[in-house]
Structure formats: structure tokens, C-alpha cells
Amino acid sequence: MKSYNVAILGATGAVGQTMIKVLEERNFPINEIRFLASERSAGKEVEYMGVKYKVEAVSEDSFKGIDIALFSAGGERSKKWAPIAASKGAVVIDNSSAFRMDPDVPLVVPEVNPEDVKWHKGIIANPNCSTIQMVVALYPIHKVKKIKRIIVATYQAVSGAGATAIADLENETKAVMEGRYYYPQALPHHIAFNVIPRIDNFEPNGYTKEEMKMINETRKIMHEPDIKVSPTCVRVPVYVGHSEAVTIETQLPITAEEAREILMKAPGVIVEDDPINNVYPVPIEVAGKDDVFVGRIRKDAGFENGLSMWIVGDNLRKGAATNAVQIAELLIKYELI
Amino acid sequence: MKSYNVAILGATGAVGQTMIKVLEERNFPINEIRFLASERSAGKEVEYMGVKYKVEAVSEDSFKGIDIALFSAGGERSKKWAPIAASKGAVVIDNSSAFRMDPDVPLVVPEVNPEDVKWHKGIIANPNCSTIQMVVALYPIHKVKKIKRIIVATYQAVSGAGATAIADLENETKAVMEGRYYYPQALPHHIAFNVIPRIDNFEPNGYTKEEMKMINETRKIMHEPDIKVSPTCVRVPVYVGHSEAVTIETQLPITAEEAREILMKAPGVIVEDDPINNVYPVPIEVAGKDDVFVGRIRKDAGFENGLSMWIVGDNLRKGAATNAVQIAELLIKYELI
């Protein structure tokens, strides 16, 4: 079996660490693996398949001989290093938002638009976490019933904002319970016993960048430039696992039963929907899993042709690391590397 | 100045306690006050205006001479005692869901439909907490632009489920941080570092009772039996303060600026909406306040004529106790007692 040289940039971050785990779990065919990070994190140790590796500071030489470069080190580093890695012959799978809307870069969710990897020019973008789990659940319905409109409110975990935000939730919860004040380090407001209706910066139109990602990336991934998306993105005091309250309007009539049947056969989707027995997905149970979980599927009360549902995914896995590794697997499947 | 005899049934509960505070703060003109509860809570002490009172077990005699009876002791007790209190000449303001959809009972939010108190027959219903804060913010827009459709996802505090649910959040958070397991006593799932897409029981149509309240009560309060409402109600690990991500479709075009101007003049509404300076309402800051706070007002990205916004209210105050006391104040204003 052919095996590949893989580099991970941002190996010490929350997503980078999950990438390593996912590569191990899926037995990704690796010949050589390199762990890269900024100067700041270089020298740290990471573990892969029981072996300890030193993290190297990223440089032009880092990508020599590399087949696949998994990037999760923020937009600025991606902008700088992705073209360099690509010029050395690596295919970059980039988890930042830097290239997602670039018309020369495919934006791929393997369950939705796998074929888009075929036209890559050295960089493939991994979509935003909230968008990935939403399109995995909605696209199978779209194929049959044609979705015209999506209204989504998110309940996003702090791990989506990185390791410092995880520490914010832990430290602030402790502080509140001990009657102390805590000043948030990564998040734009207090997160303990609170919710924050802001993820990323605001655009002049009043939407946040995170919300604009849900609009624009959904359209690009689904190849539906006119689909309507009305998002509100909210941070909640959860460590791992994004949840989404989603209402859709479809061209064709759809019942909850039909939607359930479609989703039970859909790739990467697990239907957990048995209200009578108190069964619906919740983030603490979805954390650590690779699938997208859907429950609370019901004929929508407001739209003639509409459906409401509750979609939960592990933002570090399917929302980031797992989706990136699945893209790498597509490259192998289509013999693109 | 005329003063009144007031009874509070459920005086020891989370809402009952807040009712006492609100009566004090608003200097409600009280002649005599009686604190009532079930046998289980009788004998407990409550404090009003610095004086300690023994809580009495509710009986037929409890309502003799009472002008206003504020009820917050659950649907079953309301069903039993409200007709009795009314038959003794009291006007019952009932915080349970028992009578809300009864065509003989007005369902009142003073900022929206104050005149409805005038046709009461002894019982006036106080609406559901999530519904109250939503209609306070939406009705002023509706009057000018005619709302056709509301899509709402809630982020509801545990105090909405009573004192045991508050203890669930506190005890379970502590347990998680100490690595212990905690079995929830009041809530249908784990709430610490989690969100639960279920409030109250499920109906056969897949909606919860809480969600059906938001549909039906909104229509009754706004006198708009055909307005479309698509709700998803979710419990979050917050102690006090419900938040709502709301998208509306209006008959007439509306800009964010127009909406802001309408809401800045609206009774009971405070606009906190300055994204550039990171200003938007969050539940930990709204807790303890009587107004409804609105931020994140933006022209909706999906609807031709649409608006999205973020609405936060103290569920124990405006969502329950304050609204009930405001109804009592209306009774005085209209000389109905």
C-alpha cells in the first residue's frame, strides 16, 4: 500500500492535536510525519502512534517532499505558508478562513462536494465548523426537496475559539463559584453561566464574520449561490460540540418522517430522534464522535413547506480535524497524490 | 391613596420571592399582604418591607377580603385555587399556563395589550417568560411594519424551571469540576457545560409545550391569530436571563436603523446595540433588571423584508414577577379593583 509524507502546521493547537488523534484512529497511510508550528511553539513535544516528536519551527524547507500539509495555525500563517507549501509540491488542506472564498480554491465537505477536490491547485480549504455540520445534515434533504431558505441559530462551544478560550471557561467557572472576578483572556465577554451573541468580528452589515461564513460557505459548498441563509452565531459555556437550531424552507413539501428516512441513509449523519424517550443529541454526548447528529426533526410550524431540526457535531472533529483528514483520504481515493 | 389587600400563592418559590421584591421596589400600594403556599411550604418565613411573615397553607379562607391574588405555584394549584379566589372577589393574576389559552381569560403583557385586562372575569393570565420578552420587543415593530413571520431560537436560563433546576446547575457544575457524576434532579438532561434542546414535555407534532406556548401565546397577546411562529426552545447553563435569536419577516420593508428608532421609543425596551464597541445584551448583565434588552439589530440576510435581532430579558422579573405586578398596576389604573 502506498503511504504518504504528511506535515501538520499548528500541531500543538486544539485542532492540531485532534488531527493527530484522527490520523491515528483512521490508520492514515503515513510514510513520514512532520509536526510544525510557529517559533513560539517549536520545541514542544507531541505524540503520534506512541512515539514522541519534537515540533519544528516552520520554514521553507519544512515542506520538501511533503505530499499532504494539514494547516491549522490561523489565517495569517496560512496566507504566508500555504502558497510556499504548495509550491514545494504539497497539497495543503487549510483549516483557516484565509482561502475559503477564493474562487481558485475548492471548499470541501466530503459528504457534500467530494468532486471539488479534483480541481485544486495546491490548496483545498476546510470549511468553518458551524457550516460543515449544517451542510452534512441539510445537503441530503436538499438533493431531494430543494432547500430555498435556512434560518440557523448556533450554540457554539468555546473550543472553537482555541485553547485560551477553553481555559477562559474553566477558570471563569471556578472564579464565579468561588466569588472571585475573572477577566476573559480570549473571549469577547464573560462566558461562565452566560451566552455571548458574538463570534469573530462584526462586519458593517451587523453580521459577524462567523455568520457571514455560514452564508457564503454554505452557498459555495452546496453550489447554490442563491440559497438564503439567516444565521445568528452564539457562544455558549460548553467545552466541545456545536449545536444548531435550524429551520429550513423547501421547494417541495416534506414531512418529518421523510426527512428522518433521508437522514438515516445519509453519509456521516446519525439520527437521534425519539422525543417520547427523551432522545435528542446534546453536545456533551457528541463530543469525541466523528458524525453529525440530528434530532428534534419536525414539520415546521411556520412554513408551508418547512422543517425544523437540531444538529450537533464535534467542532474539533467533524468541524475541523476529521473533515480535513477526510479530504486527504479523498485525494488518495481520486489518486490526486 | 387607595391601598389593596394582596395575596401571593407560591411565596417561597423563585418567582414568588421575586414578586415580593418587585412589589417592594415599585412601592405597590398594599394595605394587607398574605403569603400563601402548599402545605409543604407552610410555616416557612418570608420577608416583606423588613418584616417577617409566616407563610400560611392556602385554604378557602385565604382569599377573603383579598383584592389581588398573585399565583405562582404551578398549573395544578392554579386550576384548583384560582376559581375559588375569584369567587371570593379577588382578581387572580396567574403565572401558570393553566388558563392562558382559555378564551374567557385575558393573557396580558402591559406593553402590548393592556386593554385586555378590562374584560377579565376574575382571572388574568401572565404569559410564558420566553413569550413575554419576545412580544415586548416585536410588537412595536409589528405596529409599524406588520410582522408576518417569526423564527426564534431560545437560550433559556435554569431558573425558568424553578429552584431545583438552579441547584442542578450549581451542583452539577461543581461535580464536573471535581470529576464526580451528578444525576440531574429537575432537568431532563445534564446541564453543566451542555445545552438541552427540550423545555417541558413533547407534543405529538414534535414541538415541546414550551415551543407551542410561544406560538399560541404570541398570537393571543398580539391579537394576530395567523402570525407564523417557528420556535426552538433550548435550556442553557445560565442561572437567570433568557436570550433569544429572533428573525422576523415583515409586510413592509424595514431597515436596522428604523427598527432601532422604533425600539428606542418602545415602552419597556432598552436598545443595547453598538457592535463596534462590543455592546450587545447578555443574560448575566440583564439579570435583575425589569426591561427587555435588544441588540444585534440587523437587516436580515435571508428575507427581502426581514430583520434579525437578539432579545434578552430577566425571566424571573419581566418574564414572570414584574409582568404580573404590572398587570396589577393596570387594574388600579383602570379602576378595576
Side-chain angles (χ1 to χ4, degrees):
Chain A
M1 196 175 136
K2 214 181 149 184
S3 63
Y4 304 87
N5 298 337
V6 174
I8 301 182
L9 176 62
T12 58
V15 172
Q17 286 289 303
T18 311
M19 281 173 169
I20 297 173
K21 254 191 273 177
V22 172
L23 288 170
E24 288 174 343
E25 289 167 6
R26 298 172 84 93
N27 257 310
F28 193 86
I30 286 177
N31 174 49
E32 188 200 326
I33 190 158
R34 274 178 224 165
F35 300 100
L36 310 171
S38 60
E39 286 287 352
R40 192 172 49 85
S41 295
K44 285 190 185 171
E45 275 191 339
V46 296
E47 207 177 303
Y48 170 72
M49 291 288 191
V51 179
K52 286 198 170 138
Y53 291 79
K54 267 235 156 68
V55 176
E56 303 162 35
V58 59
S59 75
E60 299 229 355
D61 293 336
S62 306
F63 301 103
K64 231 184 270 174
I66 289 296
D67 301 302
I68 299 167
L70 300 169
F71 275 35
S72 188
E76 286 315 306
R77 282 189 199 100
S78 289
K79 268 183 215 155
K80 177 171 178 191
W81 293 105
I84 294 170
S87 75
K88 304 279 178 190
V91 182
V92 177
I93 301 168
D94 180 33
N95 193 49
S96 85
S97 62
F99 298 98
R100 286 182 192 149
M101 295 314 294
D102 186 328
D104 283 335
V105 173
L107 182 67
V108 176
V109 175
E111 292 85 348
V112 178
N113 60 335
E115 305 276 326
D116 279 343
V117 298
K118 293 182 179 170
W119 56 267
H120 83 80
K121 298 170 181 170
I123 303 174
I124 299 169
N126 204 36
N128 173 261
C129 44
S130 336
T131 309
I132 293 177
Q133 67 180 65
M134 186 172 83
V135 297
V136 166
L138 295 189
Y139 189 67
I141 297 170
H142 179 65
K143 277 197 291 186
V144 187
K145 301 291 183 178
K146 191 116 175 83
I147 296 173
K148 289 159 56 182
R149 180 186 298 288
I150 303 167
I151 302 103
V152 52
T154 70
Y155 302 69
Q156 294 183 231
V158 293
S159 52
T164 318
I166 297 174
D168 267 351
L169 176 56
E170 188 165 2
N171 293 332
E172 188 166 38
T173 303
K174 216 176 278 175
V176 168
M177 300 197 79
E178 292 167 4
R180 286 183 291 111
Y181 182 83
Y182 176 83
Y183 191 85
Q185 303 298 302
L187 295 168
H189 215 297
H190 299 289
I191 188 63
F193 308 111
N194 201 20
V195 299
I196 308 173
R198 174 191 160 180
I199 295 181
D200 209 332
N201 292 325
F202 285 101
E203 299 277 8
N205 66 0
Y207 280 89
T208 58
K209 281 190 200 301
E210 180 84 357
E211 288 157 356
M212 293 312 295
K213 288 174 192 170
M214 293 196 81
I215 298 173
N216 296 323
E217 296 184 18
T218 299
R219 290 173 174 168
K220 180 168 177 178
I221 299 163
M222 288 175 61
H223 298 180
E224 291 289 359
D226 297 322
I227 202 166
K228 307 285 186 206
V229 186
S230 301
T232 304
C233 291
V234 180
R235 190 76 68 191
V236 296
V238 166
Y239 285 108
V240 176
H242 288 357
S243 308
E244 297 173 346
V246 176
T247 295
I248 58 171
E249 184 183 12
T250 52
Q251 197 96 54
L252 302 172
I254 181 163
T255 65
E257 205 37 66
E258 280 178 289
R260 238 172 255 127
E261 273 166 33
I262 292 169
L263 289 174
M264 285 195 304
K265 288 181 220 142
V269 173
I270 299 210
V271 175
E272 273 193 354
D273 191 21
D274 184 6
I276 299 309
N277 292 307
N278 202 33
V279 172
Y280 39 76
V282 294
I284 53 165
E285 286 177 359
V286 167
K289 295 177 185 161
D290 283 315
D291 292 298
V292 172
F293 290 72
V294 186
R296 298 285 333 263
I297 301 165
R298 57 205 192 272
K299 177 134 187 40
D300 182 70
F303 287 97
E304 179 70 30
N305 294 338
L307 207 68
S308 282
M309 72 194 82
W310 175 252
I311 302 171
V312 186
D314 182 321
N315 52 299
L316 297 177
R317 286 182 167 259
K318 185 56 189 168
T322 304
N323 198 73
V325 174
Q326 285 174 318
I327 292 173
E329 290 169 347
L330 279 182
L331 291 172
I332 298 175
K333 179 179 160 193
Y334 294 144
E335 300 180 351
L336 296 168
I337 47 171
Chain B
M1 193 176 136
K2 214 178 148 186
S3 63
Y4 304 88
N5 298 337
V6 174
I8 300 182
L9 176 63
T12 59
V15 173
Q17 286 290 303
T18 311
M19 281 171 168
I20 296 173
K21 255 190 273 178
V22 172
L23 288 170
E24 287 175 345
E25 289 166 6
R26 298 172 83 94
N27 257 311
F28 193 87
I30 286 177
N31 175 49
E32 189 200 326
I33 191 159
R34 272 177 225 166
F35 300 100
L36 311 171
S38 61
E39 285 287 354
R40 191 170 50 86
S41 295
K44 286 190 185 170
E45 275 190 339
V46 295
E47 207 176 304
Y48 171 71
M49 291 288 192
V51 179
K52 289 204 167 131
Y53 291 79
K54 266 238 156 65
V55 176
E56 303 163 36
V58 58
S59 75
E60 301 229 354
D61 292 338
S62 307
F63 302 102
K64 230 185 267 172
I66 289 295
D67 300 302
I68 299 168
L70 299 169
F71 275 35
S72 188
E76 286 314 306
R77 283 189 199 100
S78 287
K79 268 183 214 155
K80 177 170 179 191
W81 293 106
I84 293 169
S87 76
K88 304 280 179 189
V91 181
V92 176
I93 301 168
D94 179 34
N95 193 49
S96 84
S97 62
F99 298 99
R100 287 183 192 149
M101 295 313 296
D102 185 328
D104 282 336
V105 173
L107 181 67
V108 177
V109 175
E111 291 87 346
V112 179
N113 60 336
E115 304 277 325
D116 279 343
V117 299
K118 291 181 179 169
W119 56 266
H120 84 79
K121 297 170 182 170
I123 303 173
I124 299 170
N126 204 37
N128 173 260
C129 43
S130 337
T131 309
I132 291 176
Q133 67 181 66
M134 186 171 82
V135 297
V136 166
L138 294 188
Y139 189 69
I141 297 170
H142 179 65
K143 275 197 292 185
V144 187
K145 301 290 182 177
K146 190 114 175 91
I147 296 173
K148 289 158 57 182
R149 179 186 300 287
I150 304 167
I151 302 103
V152 52
T154 70
Y155 303 69
Q156 294 184 231
V158 294
S159 53
T164 319
I166 297 174
D168 267 351
L169 176 57
E170 189 165 1
N171 294 333
E172 188 167 38
T173 303
K174 216 175 279 175
V176 168
M177 299 196 78
E178 292 167 3
R180 288 183 289 108
Y181 183 84
Y182 176 82
Y183 192 84
Q185 303 297 302
L187 295 168
H189 214 296
H190 299 288
I191 188 63
F193 308 110
N194 201 21
V195 300
I196 309 173
R198 174 190 160 180
I199 295 180
D200 209 333
N201 291 326
F202 286 102
E203 299 277 8
N205 65 1
Y207 280 89
T208 58
K209 280 191 202 300
E210 181 83 358
E211 288 158 354
M212 293 311 296
K213 287 174 193 170
M214 292 197 80
I215 298 174
N216 296 323
E217 295 183 19
T218 298
R219 290 172 174 169
K220 180 168 177 178
I221 297 162
M222 288 175 59
H223 297 181
E224 291 290 356
D226 297 321
I227 201 165
K228 307 286 185 205
V229 186
S230 301
T232 304
C233 290
V234 180
R235 190 75 71 191
V236 295
V238 166
Y239 285 109
V240 176
H242 288 357
S243 308
E244 297 173 346
V246 176
T247 295
I248 57 170
E249 185 183 12
T250 52
Q251 198 95 55
L252 301 172
I254 180 163
T255 66
E257 206 36 67
E258 281 179 289
R260 240 172 253 125
E261 273 166 33
I262 292 168
L263 289 174
M264 285 194 305
K265 288 180 219 145
V269 174
I270 301 215
V271 175
E272 271 192 357
D273 191 19
D274 184 6
I276 299 306
N277 293 307
N278 203 32
V279 173
Y280 39 76
V282 293
I284 54 165
E285 287 177 359
V286 166
K289 296 178 184 160
D290 282 315
D291 291 299
V292 172
F293 290 72
V294 186
R296 300 287 331 264
I297 300 165
R298 58 206 191 270
K299 176 131 188 43
D300 182 69
F303 287 98
E304 181 70 31
N305 294 337
L307 207 68
S308 282
M309 70 194 85
W310 175 251
I311 303 170
V312 187
D314 181 323
N315 53 299
L316 298 176
R317 284 181 170 260
K318 185 56 190 169
T322 304
N323 198 73
V325 174
Q326 285 173 318
I327 292 172
E329 290 169 347
L330 279 181
L331 292 171
I332 298 175
K333 178 179 161 193
Y334 294 143
E335 299 179 352
L336 296 168
I337 47 172

